[in-house]
Amino acid sequence: MKKFPLQKAFTFIEPGPVVLIGTFDNDNGRFNVMTLSWIMVMDFSPRFALLTGMWNHSCKALLKNKECVISIPTIDISKKVVGIGACSGADTDKFAKFNLTAAKAEQVNAPLIKECLANIECRVVDHIKKHDIFVLDGIQAWFDSARKEKRTFHAVGDGTFITDGPKINHRKLMADKLPAGV
Amino acid sequence: MKKFPLQKAFTFIEPGPVVLIGTFDNDNGRFNVMTLSWIMVMDFSPRFALLTGMWNHSCKALLKNKECVISIPTIDISKKVVGIGACSGADTDKFAKFNLTAAKAEQVNAPLIKECLANIECRVVDHIKKHDIFVLDGIQAWFDSARKEKRTFHAVGDGTFITDGPKINHRKLMADKLPAGV
């Protein structure tokens, strides 16, 4: 897992993969993680919005610590990712249950997940309480270029998931529209 | 293009495809359309959040008319979708330029797009000006089940796009977590 240019970190979220949100749980002093698809890019800087509320145990840690890590899983661990979404950190040590390896982040107390393709350390910069939206700024990104499986997956919402297929390249058509350094 | 159950309409957005946002442009009395990836589900009802501001010509119509149509394109028209994102409705009739067929929506003045796999008529229910976020409620959904090409595509943000690959089925693992009727 090596550092990855922050100005390209939005490219992990823009395609809409299922992500994991890692936090440090002050209640029991352990790491927690939740599965999420309700997330979008807000700015290339990068800035992200995600939707969660007190019905998720992780929400309390986001509100208190104002930080998290967004981790990008690949299709080889899709069962784990679904399992992580089906239980609660309130009564489960998910890192133990799902054999996840927490690695030390550089700027936040929430953990990087070694089994993921990429990790983005984030600070919570706003909470739009009315809509349960958290606004996050990415402050450090990590990428495991040595990993063979790089295909992410996308929740349909009905219990099925779309895996990444072939890429289309329209860089020439979009040359004027691409942000600098991407 | 037939009516589609509204409680399943979020399943078009949750996987994170590139979408088109259609509006009625009061300035010139014609339809307009923009390409967008910065969108997420907020609720199964369905409710969506999208990010845009006055740097997009469509923003003015969203603010004034408080309605739009979210259309889901497939990979066979990916070049058109990129082209739609590379010009402005301020000086271009995009429906004419890209040979799009506008069909009459049922509850909004913005148009359905016949060349798209699905269309969701939406009302703007809030505008979080500080963050350039629009909150939309889906009020009527449409689906073209007769269409052969059903693969959507996902913007990476660097000029490349990920096409839909094979599906993974984890419905049994998620049975307790699925919303009713999905």
Side-chain angles (χ1 to χ4, degrees), chain B residues 7 13 18 44 74 81 87 89 98 105 108 115 126 130 177:
Chain B
Q7 78 269 21
I13 305 302
V18 176
F44 301 114
T74 46
V81 171
C87 62
F98 296 101
V108 299
E115 287 76 14
D126 204 357
K130 178 183 177 189
K177 286 276 178 176

Side-chain angles (χ1 to χ4, degrees), chain B residues 8-57:
Chain B
K8 291 187 190 181
F10 79 94
T11 63
F12 295 121
I13 305 302
E14 180 136 336
V18 176
V19 303
L20 297 173
I21 305 294
T23 47
F24 176 78
D25 188 339
N26 303 281
D27 285 356
N28 50 34
R30 67 187 180 213
F31 295 135
N32 190 23
V33 58
M34 71 169 164
T35 302
L36 188 95
S37 290
W38 295 4
I39 184 168
M40 68 174 177
V41 178
M42 291 179 66
D43 193 54
F44 301 114
S45 45
R47 176 166 285 186
F48 309 109
L50 67 79
L51 193 137
T52 191
M54 289 303 282
W55 61 87
N56 278 326
H57 185 69

Side-chain angles (χ1 to χ4, degrees), chain A residues 59-159:
Chain A
C59 184
K60 200 172 161 187
L62 286 173
L63 286 170
K64 185 172 170 73
N65 302 332
K66 298 194 175 1
E67 57 175 47
C68 66
V69 172
I70 305 173
S71 303
I72 315 294
T74 47
I75 63 169
D76 50 318
I77 61 165
S78 72
K79 273 193 186 175
K80 278 193 193 200
V81 171
V82 169
I84 290 164
C87 62
S88 172
D91 54 22
T92 308
D93 180 342
K94 298 199 199 184
F95 276 78
K97 179 170 181 176
F98 296 101
N99 277 314
L100 300 175
T101 313
K104 204 167 161 40
E106 209 170 79
Q107 305 196 43
V108 299
N109 289 315
L112 311 180
I113 298 176
K114 276 202 174 174
E115 287 76 14
C116 285
L117 176 66
N119 287 272
I120 309 171
E121 300 181 35
C122 293
R123 284 203 203 291
V124 174
V125 293
D126 205 357
H127 180 223
I128 305 165
K129 198 177 174 185
K130 178 184 177 188
H131 290 294
D132 295 311
I133 290 174
F134 285 86
V135 179
L136 310 176
D137 276 355
I139 51 175
Q140 174 70 55
W142 303 84
F143 182 62
D144 184 359
S145 59
R147 203 172 201 293
K148 275 189 185 168
E149 182 58 78
K150 291 194 173 70
R151 288 173 297 170
T152 67
F153 57 105
H154 308 255
V156 176
D158 63 354

Side-chain angles (χ1 to χ4, degrees), chain B residues 87-171:
Chain B
C87 62
S88 172
D91 55 22
T92 307
D93 181 340
K94 297 199 198 182
F95 276 78
K97 180 171 180 176
F98 296 101
N99 277 314
L100 299 175
T101 313
K104 204 167 162 42
E106 208 169 79
Q107 305 196 43
V108 299
N109 290 314
L112 311 179
I113 299 177
K114 276 202 174 174
E115 287 76 14
C116 285
L117 176 65
N119 287 272
I120 308 170
E121 300 180 35
C122 293
R123 285 204 203 290
V124 174
V125 293
D126 204 357
H127 180 224
I128 306 165
K129 198 177 175 186
K130 178 183 177 189
H131 290 294
D132 296 309
I133 290 173
F134 286 86
V135 178
L136 310 176
D137 275 356
I139 51 176
Q140 174 68 57
W142 303 84
F143 182 62
D144 184 359
S145 59
R147 206 172 199 293
K148 275 189 186 166
E149 182 58 77
K150 291 196 173 69
R151 287 173 297 170
T152 68
F153 57 105
H154 309 255
V156 176
D158 63 355
T160 66
F161 296 83
I162 299 166
T163 58
D164 286 354
K167 268 198 183 179
I168 307 172
N169 190 330
H170 285 321
R171 283 182 72 89

Side-chain angles (χ1 to χ4, degrees), chain A residues 32-49:
Chain A
N32 190 22
V33 57
M34 71 170 163
T35 302
L36 188 94
S37 290
W38 295 4
I39 183 168
M40 68 174 177
V41 179
M42 291 179 66
D43 193 51
F44 301 114
S45 45
R47 177 167 285 186
F48 310 109

